[in-house]
Structures are given as C-alpha cells and as structure tokens.
Amino acid sequence: MATHPAVLGRFFEDYVVGDVYQHPLGRTISEADNTWITLLSMNTNQNHFNAHAASQNPITGGRILVNSGLTVAVILGISVLDMSQNAISNLSFTDIEMSNPVYVGDTLYAESICTALRLSKSRPYAGIVSMITRGLNQDGVQVISWKRSVMVATRDSGIGQNYFPEATSGPLELPATKGIEA
C-alpha cells in the first residue's frame, strides 16, 4: 500500500514559457456572493445591489452587475491551484482590463499563459513566474484579464511540502474483512 503525500500545485521548475494552463474549476456567481462582497467592500454603486437603479443603466440591460472586485477575486482564486499554490509572494498585478460585464448567474472560468520565468537573484529557493490570466464566462466571452508575477518556491526548497501531520495513532490501515471480497 502506497501513501501519496499532500502536495498541491506546481513548483518553479514545473512551468514552461508559452504553456497555457486551463484551470479546472468554474464558479457560478450568486446574488448572495455579489451582495456580500459589495457590502463588505463598502461599494455604494447601486448597480451592484439595487435592481431598480440597475434597470436604468443602458449598459446592463436592466440586470445587476457583479462587483468587479468579486470578479477579480474569483478569477484569481480559480487560478491559484495552477499558478500560485506554492507562491511565496505576489509581486505584481498590472493591466487589469474589464472587457465585458459579469452578471449574477454567470459562471466564471480562468486560464493563464506563462510569459516569463527567472530564478530569484536574492532568494535561491524561489523563482519568478510571470503570466497573463483571463477570465471567461460560460459562453467563452472574456470578461477580465491581467498580467501578474509571483515568487514561487522551487521543489528543492521544501516550501509547501511535508506539512501534513503524522498521526499519533499510527498509520491508517484497511479494516479486516469478513466474507466475500470485492
């Protein structure tokens, strides 16, 4: 019986310039999500929470707009598993572009392309991964994009590894079976 250790994401050595990483999770935005982040961030633009006011906005077609802060957070979060699960630090976000509106009920997906790699000059246990990430809605329409750079641990650093605790009660074992085996 093999034990597969708890390991998530990529390390610096795993990235290839020009490779596209289609992130596996999508996220449907609910009205509660939008209202919550709008209240939490104290965004008082009524297009995010007042259907009557939003109905008068010629851009929205009468629909409530999803708070752009939520769009950024969700697309960033979707990309973490592939692009920054083992990041030590975010270094930059630039050129954020909101290319199309997001509405309550839209499902968001994300993909990233690795645009540059370099080992850190000051931290030998890490490298810099640069990327462009874009968010798509359920129809494949791009709704957001940005450039981002993160400092990612190298595999040899040990960072992001070996964090799972050893059970004080010993290893997990199969129970004894009685009768017919599958």
Side-chain angles (χ1 to χ4, degrees):
M1 175 171 61
T3 298
H4 301 274
V7 177
L8 286 173
R10 291 177 171 79
F11 293 92
F12 177 74
E13 301 86 348
D14 300 327
Y15 295 95
V16 176
V17 172
D19 278 5
V20 174
Y21 301 87
Q22 292 182 330
H23 311 304
L25 302 177
R27 175 68 156 74
T28 302
I29 305 300
S30 71
E31 186 172 0
D33 296 329
N34 191 48
T35 300
W36 179 78
I37 197 70
T38 298
L39 293 171
L40 182 65
S41 63
M42 297 181 61
N43 184 331
T44 59
N45 186 308
Q46 293 192 69
N47 286 302
H48 301 307
F49 58 86
N50 182 330
H52 179 251
S55 72
Q56 298 170 28
N57 182 332
I59 300 296
T60 68
R63 297 182 287 174
I64 292 178
L65 281 173
V66 167
N67 183 317
S68 57
L70 178 58
T71 303
V72 170
V74 169
I75 296 302
L76 175 62
I78 289 172
S79 75
V80 165
L81 184 60
D82 291 314
M83 304 311 288
S84 57
Q85 185 70 46
N86 292 310
I88 298 166
S89 178
N90 275 310
L91 301 175
S92 70
F93 282 92
T94 64
D95 302 325
I96 295 176
E97 180 182 319
M98 309 289 184
S99 44
N100 283 289
V102 175
Y103 301 105
V104 168
D106 280 349
T107 300
L108 301 180
Y109 297 89
E111 62 183 356
S112 300
I113 185 168
C114 179
T115 58
L117 296 168
R118 74 170 176 83
L119 287 170
S120 173
K121 294 174 183 134
S122 60
R123 293 176 172 82
Y125 51 82
I128 311 304
V129 178
S130 297
M131 68 201 75
I132 297 171
T133 297
R134 71 176 176 178
L136 307 172
N137 70 14
Q138 66 280 352
D139 299 320
V141 174
Q142 182 172 313
V143 297
I144 191 170
S145 64
W146 61 68
K147 294 178 182 177
R148 179 176 174 224
S149 292
V150 294
M151 180 178 289
V152 178
T154 62
R155 185 169 276 104
D156 290 343
S157 72
I159 297 169
Q161 304 167 63
N162 303 317
Y163 56 84
F164 197 88
E166 187 172 330
T168 58
S169 58
L172 187 61
E173 297 179 3
L174 287 171
T177 59
K178 296 180 182 179
I180 301 172
E181 292 187 30

